[in-house]
Amino acid sequence: MSVVEPQPRAVGARSRLLRAAVEAFATKGFDATTTRDIATGAQMSPAAVYVHFRSKEEVLYELSDAGHRSFLELIDAADDPAQPPAARVRAVIGALATHHARDHVWSRVVNYELDSLSVEHRQAIGVMRKEVARRVGAIVQAGIAAGGFDVDDPQATTTLLLSMGVDVARWYRESGAMTPEQIGEFQADMAARIVGASESASR
């Protein structure tokens, strides 16, 4: 049985609709955004959304799924288990903060429109969010086990570290005083302080 590959034109149309949806959801919010808004933003006919997606919610889910997969890939790329835990936490938290600033529009939708997903889709995204927390939490636990972190509550500390990066997407603007890279470096330093790592151990 042969597999029918999607036509490049169809893939391009989906991408245009997804980009338009990101902008619309970020500007107006999911509830206030209509499928006509998305189609108009993509410079397509009002019915175009339903050619490629079953619903507006499915558009949000596809954005959320891709966004959270990118978070996991980013952690994998930034984390080197061979490095000391302090260097690992700096690398991962710095990379996440930089990403949330650089792609702040998409990241804002992905992180702050979760309640607009269906129960099934919210659960699927929840699995990935738990995996993000598990991977960062494992670094915190490694630092505690090695005696290099001074942490009273590993779970709360992990939540705080992740929340710093997520919140960047809410407040970051290109006109701000710091670049995404500078924000990443700042939050990497803050992460090392939060876990109680010494300056020499974290670099």
Side-chain angles (χ1 to χ4, degrees):
M1 179 178 175
S2 63
V3 176
V4 178
E5 296 290 339
Q7 295 298 312
R9 185 173 180 180
V11 172
R14 283 177 66 88
S15 296
R16 285 167 57 193
L17 288 166
L18 288 169
R19 287 195 298 270
V22 167
E23 294 295 335
F25 293 157
T27 302
K28 303 178 69 172
F30 177 82
D31 290 337
T33 297
T34 65
T35 54
R36 180 181 290 273
D37 292 331
I38 297 171
T40 299
Q43 297 183 321
M44 299 170 73
S45 69
V49 173
Y50 295 108
V51 173
H52 300 279
F53 303 95
R54 287 174 292 185
S55 66
K56 183 178 69 167
E57 188 273 341
E58 188 176 76
V59 177
L60 177 62
Y61 172 65
E62 184 152 332
L63 291 171
S64 299
D65 181 73
H68 283 84
R69 289 182 189 279
S70 73
F71 298 158
L72 290 168
E73 291 168 2
L74 192 70
I75 293 172
D76 283 343
D79 187 27
D80 181 359
Q83 293 296 312
R88 293 173 65 192
V89 80
R90 287 192 88 263
V92 169
I93 298 305
L96 285 170
T98 300
H99 174 81
H100 278 78
R102 186 180 292 128
D103 294 328
H104 62 100
V105 177
W106 190 331
S107 296
R108 189 160 68 249
V109 171
V110 165
N111 286 298
Y112 290 101
E113 290 287 1
L114 292 171
D115 288 343
S116 298
L117 292 170
S118 69
V119 173
E120 179 183 0
H121 285 162
R122 192 159 61 247
Q123 288 174 342
I125 297 301
V127 170
M128 286 190 281
R129 291 178 73 85
K130 287 178 181 177
E131 179 60 15
V132 168
R134 187 198 68 76
R135 294 185 190 187
V136 174
I139 299 173
V140 173
Q141 291 286 2
I144 295 171
F149 289 0
D150 182 13
V151 172
D152 293 327
D153 189 327
Q155 184 174 351
T157 300
T158 299
T159 300
L160 175 60
L161 292 173
L162 289 170
S163 296
M164 291 194 313
V166 168
D167 202 44
V168 170
R170 180 185 59 78
W171 57 258
Y172 178 78
R173 297 294 181 271
E174 286 89 348
S175 58
M178 299 174 73
T179 66
E181 291 72 24
Q182 288 171 329
I183 290 171
E185 186 67 22
F186 177 79
Q187 290 213 1
D189 290 341
M190 289 299 298
R193 294 179 187 177
I194 287 169
V195 298
S198 66
E199 185 70 19
S200 59
S202 64
R203 292 182 180 275

